[in-house]
Each structure stands twice: as C-alpha cells, then as structure tokens.
Amino acid sequence: MTLDLSYLNFVNVGRVYRNLPTPALYEQVVRRREGLIAHLGPIVTRTGQYTGRSPQDRFIVREPETESDVWWGPQNREFDEATFARLRGHLAAYLQGKDLFVQDCYAGADPRYRLRLRVITETAWHSLFARNMFVRELDQHKLVDFKPDLTVICAPGFHAIPEVDRTNSEAFVVLHFAKRLIIIGGTSYAGEIKKSVFSTLNFLYPEQGVLGMHCSANMDRNSSVAIFFGLSGTGKTSLSTDPDRALIGDDEHGWSDTGIFNFEGGCYAKVIRLSPQAEPEIYRATRMFGTILENVAIDTNTRRIDLDDATLTENTRASYPISHIPNSSPTGLGDHPNHIIMLTCDAFGIMPPLARMTPEQARYHFLSGYTAKVAGTERGVDEPKATFSACFGAPFMTRHPTVYSRMLGERLARHKVTCWLINTGWSGGPYGVGERIKIPYTRAMVKAALSGELEGVEYREEPIFGLQVPKHCPGVPDEVLDPPSTWPDRQSYAAKASELARMFAANFNTFAHSVPEEVRSAGPRL
C-alpha cells in the first residue's frame, strides 16, 4: 500500500514501505545491513551509544491547550512550541530522499479506548519493533483508510544541534500532546518509541476515566487477575510470565470501569543472563523468528547468541509479539484485579521479601515508588542505585502523581483488591554485602499470595513500615521472610532501616499536602 506523507510536510522522500509484514521487514533489515539473523531466527541489532532511555533528552511541548494539566519538572521538561516547529522542519529536511517505513497499529487492546497509532521510521528494524510492540490490525481493508490519532516519527540518524535546536544533546524525544505527535532523533534505542507512546496515553486517558499503569498483568484459569507494578528490572516481565497463568501484558496497562487492558501487543524483556530454567517462556522467545534482540552478543560465524555477555550493556533486550508466549491472552483484556503486587528492588536489603498492605499503605507506596535503578536501564547507571519514582514510573507520568494515586485509591475501595509488597532486591545486607533474593523464592511468594495459601497463616507486623509479614510461606525458608535475621549484625540492620525510613519521609513531603491523612500516616514510623 502506498501512502502520501505530505500531510506531515514530508516532501521528496524516497520509497514509503507501508505495513510490511514481518518476513518482508526481515528482508529489508538484512538488505540494509541493519542487523543479523541469528540461529533459530531472531534478528540481532545494535543501538550504538544509546543502550537505554535518555531521560534528560525527553521533552514535552508547552502550549496553551494542555500546559495546565502537565506535571512540569525534571521528569517532564518543557519545550518551546516555536522551537518544536523549527526542529520538526529540520527533521523533515533530513528525511528528503530517504526511504521510510510505516506501521499502522493501535495503542490499547480495548476497542473502546484504543488510539489509532502510526509509527514512521527510517529503519526497517524499528518498524519491526513497532509491529511487535503495538496491537496489530489484521484487516487489510481497514488499513487502507487508516487515519491516525497519534503519530510517532523516529529518525535515529538525524542528530540535533543543541545550540540551534535547544535540546540537551544530539538525541531528543519530544511529545506534542495537542498535535498528537512525537518526534525522536539521535538515538536508536527502540524503547524510546514505546515509552513516549505510554507517556502520551498517561496524559490522555485520565480524561476518559482510565488509569494508566506501569505494570504487568496476568490471570488464572478462573479469570482472577493480578497486576504487578514496578520499574524496569524489578521483575514485572519475569514474574508475570507464568506457565500456570495467562499473560495479559508485561509492561503497560489501563484500568477502566470495565476492567484492565494491555496498552501493547508485545513484550520488551530484559534478557541479560536469562535463565532457561527460571524464565523458560521468555528464554524460548529469544530463539524465535520475529524477535528482535537489542545489543545481545552474537558469534558472527555460527550466528549463535550469548545472553550472558554484557559487553555492550546490561540492558540487553528482546522485543517479541505477545503471541510468542504460549499461554498469553489473545485479547489483552482482563477483569478488575483481585490482587495488586508492588515490586521493589531494595538495594538497602531492608524491605521484607513479602508483605501484605492496607489500601492506604498501597497508595503510600504507590506514590513513593521506592526501588533501585538497575544497571543499564538508563544511561549512566552502572550499579543499583536507590531511588523513588512516583507511581513506579515517574518518567512516564505526565500528569501529577496524585491524579493517578486518587484513581487507584477509588478502584481499590470499589473492588476490594488485596495488595502486596514484594522485594526482589537484596537480603542479608545492602548491595555489595548481601545477596539478591533468589527468583525461585520470589516465584513461590507470588504463587502463595495469588492462590490464597497465605490467608490462613500467622502474620507479624514489621516495626518500621507497619507492613504485615507472613511468618511462613510454602517453598520459602522462614528466615528469608524476616530481613533482620538474615543480617549478620542487627544493629547495622536497624541503622540502615532508620536511614531508609528517613529517605521515605523526605521523599513523601512532596505529596503530603495533596493526599488524605490516612495515606500520609501509612508511611514508616521514624
């Protein structure tokens, strides 16, 4: 299908490849030397110097229609509208004479809320990424007259000039909500495409009564739904990909009046040191046709990959359609959740591996979003670093976090959801001293929480955070559930716990005057 892109002020462009299927995109990737075909069929690509998101290079255009609703600050840096128009003009000039790839798809699995999405790229592999990650339209007749609600233009080869374009570096990701337009340049990291769309949905959906969530989701055979909040690297994808539960989605969802729905049609999993025993479904997906492997090591003679090699980055990634997971949901839809699990990767080794929360505590920890940024997810992060990220995804929350917190609180009360906090980080001491909690233990905790096995066990109250910690959990040694007992020195534990509690309190001062008293008082006891 041909497509005239003059409506975007694109002139004199080369050939426009519209909605190429996966095999045809493979041919283009190889012909253009954008990647290699590995043993068993995945495409292996390189993203150059940008192997993770670049938060300092992301901007939102400040304009009269939407400026009063944006959460301006370090996460959402403003960009002048006139400067955006000039940068967009430079981008259009750069694309003259170049072939372009277009994928028409949807953001949002629920037909009542989905947005028609058009992704325009200068590389075939980024077009394949869009085809993997968003919801496909399989009816060719509908694609003929496809009119986008949101457009993404991704040109990694176009580098901004900071002094001229008023960007932070040669890379940029600029969102214009009023124009429903996103422009990306200077970076080949494909995650910028999906996260910029997610950020836009998080701005648009609250007006429709939909809560955008940085979470994965799955359900059991009785359609009992669980959602997993957490930043990248905390285990959302790994823990929600369960052979006994159907995967709804691994990263981004909406919660409407009728239930939850996946924003995407694919998965974007971290694969460094991926284990075929601990994560068999994801491991299998890295060996399949249609999968893109970003920055994964490959032997160019045998074309076999090495998932243990972190030479290029710790943030090696696999992008694949969700259908690569055998028991994934074909609809991307689920009922209202029965369980919410908030994942934290605690680099201090203080948070309990498993705890039950009240709705007020859930809102407190949702706004706090405590975790550790793990190596490789963002530029400059080489080892775990304690951080607070509101809503477990502050870089993608384009309205004030209390907007999402209020919506979450209303849903928790209405649907009587059971809330859990799970620490996938360190135990027995902080990073560098203790050890990371074993994945089989975490999986056993998740299974017990979701199956109801923890309803009859005895709980103790954790003294600083006031969380309810089970004394026993099937498949987990009792001492693992009690962090102080894993430390060699309890006084060291107490000192580090007090330090962490003060960090929580200092961070929450930002929200203290915007939430009810019962939420304010649900934090740690200093």
Side-chain angles (χ1 to χ4, degrees):
M1 291 183 287
T2 59
L3 181 64
D4 182 2
L5 296 177
S6 60
Y7 75 97
L8 291 170
N9 296 323
F10 288 177
V11 295
N12 301 323
V13 297
R15 184 171 179 179
V16 177
Y17 295 91
R18 187 181 182 190
N19 296 320
L20 290 186
T22 298
L25 287 169
Y26 259 61
E27 293 166 0
Q28 293 293 332
V29 167
V30 173
R31 187 170 72 84
R32 295 165 189 269
R33 299 184 178 180
E34 296 175 4
L36 299 174
I37 301 177
H39 175 64
L40 299 180
I43 285 278
V44 178
T45 62
R46 298 283 183 264
T47 64
Q49 65 170 316
Y50 291 90
T51 58
R53 289 186 302 104
S54 189
Q56 298 303 310
D57 295 313
R58 174 185 172 278
F59 304 90
I60 296 175
V61 175
R62 188 163 196 144
E63 44 76 35
E65 185 177 335
T66 61
E67 64 177 343
S68 62
D69 296 317
V70 174
W71 180 35
W72 299 109
Q75 308 288 357
N76 298 307
R77 308 173 74 192
E78 63 181 80
F79 205 75
D80 180 71
E81 192 165 21
T83 305
F84 174 82
R86 185 168 60 248
L87 178 61
R88 181 183 172 186
H90 294 164
L91 174 59
Y94 164 81
L95 292 174
Q96 291 191 57
K98 297 188 179 297
D99 293 347
L100 296 176
F101 296 86
V102 176
Q103 287 292 327
D104 292 326
C105 41
Y106 300 107
D110 190 333
R112 289 164 292 190
Y113 299 104
R114 65 175 37 156
L115 269 68
R116 295 183 295 271
L117 174 65
R118 172 165 289 163
V119 182
I120 303 171
T121 66
E122 67 168 326
T123 60
W125 85 261
H126 283 100
S127 191
L128 178 58
F129 177 86
R131 184 172 177 82
N132 279 352
M133 296 310 304
F134 299 108
V135 181
R136 299 178 184 178
E137 174 56 75
L138 301 179
D139 187 332
Q140 295 299 310
H141 297 290
K142 291 182 178 179
L143 289 173
V144 172
D145 298 319
F146 191 93
K147 297 291 188 294
D149 302 310
L150 176 64
T151 300
V152 180
I153 303 168
C154 178
F158 174 65
H159 289 191
I161 303 173
E163 297 79 8
V164 174
D165 299 311
R166 299 183 183 178
T167 56
N168 181 60
S169 72
E170 75 281 355
F172 61 88
V173 180
V174 188
L175 289 62
H176 197 309
F177 293 145
K179 292 185 180 297
R180 304 286 183 92
L181 179 63
I182 298 165
I183 59 174
I184 302 171
T187 172
S188 291
Y189 181 63
E192 299 286 16
I193 296 175
K194 74 181 245 83
K195 290 305 185 185
S196 60
V197 172
F198 181 42
S199 299
T200 303
L201 296 178
N202 282 336
F203 183 79
L204 299 176
Y205 273 148
E207 293 183 352
Q208 301 178 55
V210 175
L211 169 62
M213 303 178 295
H214 188 214
C215 70
S216 57
N218 64 22
M219 59 185 173
D220 66 13
R221 293 176 178 83
N222 298 316
S223 299
S224 176
V225 171
I227 61 178
F228 300 74
F229 283 106
L231 286 176
S232 177
T234 55
K236 293 194 314 301
T237 299
S238 296
L239 294 174
S240 57
T241 306
D242 185 328
D244 297 322
R245 298 177 65 89
L247 179 67
I248 299 172
D250 84 321
D251 196 41
E252 300 160 2
H253 292 78
W255 190 350
S256 71
D257 288 339
T258 57
I260 69 165
F261 62 95
N262 192 0
F263 282 173
E264 302 177 302
C267 301
Y268 193 46
K270 286 192 72 171
V271 295
I272 190 67
R273 292 178 285 277
L274 195 69
S275 165
Q277 290 76 36
E279 297 146 314
E281 292 84 8
I282 302 173
Y283 185 88
R284 190 182 307 114
T286 66
R287 266 71 177 166
M288 297 178 70
F289 180 83
T291 294
I292 302 170
L293 299 176
E294 283 186 16
N295 300 312
V296 169
I298 182 173
D299 185 317
T300 55
N301 291 320
T302 65
R303 298 299 173 95
R304 292 181 180 273
I305 60 173
D306 182 359
L307 296 180
D308 295 328
D309 189 328
T311 301
L312 295 174
T313 178
E314 284 278 333
N315 194 35
T316 55
R317 292 274 178 170
S319 161
Y320 48 89
I322 197 170
S323 57
H324 277 17
I325 302 299
N327 60 333
S328 60
S329 165
T331 65
L333 304 175
D335 293 334
H336 298 292
N338 301 86
H339 295 270
I340 285 179
I341 293 175
M342 295 184 182
L343 300 169
T344 179
C345 175
D346 176 25
F348 280 78
I350 298 300
M351 303 299 288
L354 172 64
R356 191 173 59 194
M357 297 184 289
T358 65
E360 293 75 25
Q361 289 172 331
R363 285 189 64 183
Y364 183 94
H365 284 274
F366 180 69
L367 280 171
S368 299
Y370 168 67
T371 191
K373 290 180 181 177
V374 295
T377 301
E378 292 182 5
R379 296 182 71 201
V381 180
D382 300 316
E383 62 180 41
K385 178 183 177 182
T387 188
F388 292 87
S389 185
C391 310
F392 292 99
F396 325 119
M397 300 298 139
T398 41
R399 293 178 183 264
H400 196 276
T402 53
V403 172
Y404 308 107
S405 170
R406 184 172 58 253
M407 296 179 75
L408 177 66
E410 293 168 354
R411 284 156 174 76
L412 294 181
R414 189 182 314 148
H415 302 293
K416 310 299 181 187
V417 186
T418 303
C419 300
W420 305 89
L421 183 72
I422 287 185
N423 173 23
T424 63
W426 277 259
S427 179
Y431 172 79
V433 177
E435 295 183 352
R436 194 154 187 187
I437 297 167
K438 294 179 174 59
I439 289 180
Y441 289 164
T442 303
R443 286 195 181 279
M445 296 176 207
V446 171
K447 181 180 179 181
L450 300 186
S451 66
E453 292 179 275
L454 298 179
E455 291 179 2
V457 304
E458 186 179 355
Y459 285 77
R460 62 177 179 84
E461 185 174 287
E462 191 277 335
I464 294 180
F465 291 89
L467 303 168
Q468 296 295 310
V469 178
K471 292 186 176 182
H472 309 285
C473 177
V476 182
D478 289 349
E479 61 271 17
V480 171
L481 300 171
D482 182 30
S485 69
T486 66
W487 281 57
D489 180 358
R490 291 206 175 220
Q491 287 185 331
S492 298
Y493 169 85
K496 187 64 72 174
S498 295
E499 179 185 348
L500 181 58
R502 290 192 295 273
M503 291 174 65
F504 264 88
N507 172 76
F508 204 79
N509 283 336
T510 307
F511 311 114
H513 300 293
S514 304
V515 298
E517 169 59 29
E518 58 267 25
V519 176
R520 285 197 297 272
S521 60
R525 302 155 184 166
L526 297 178

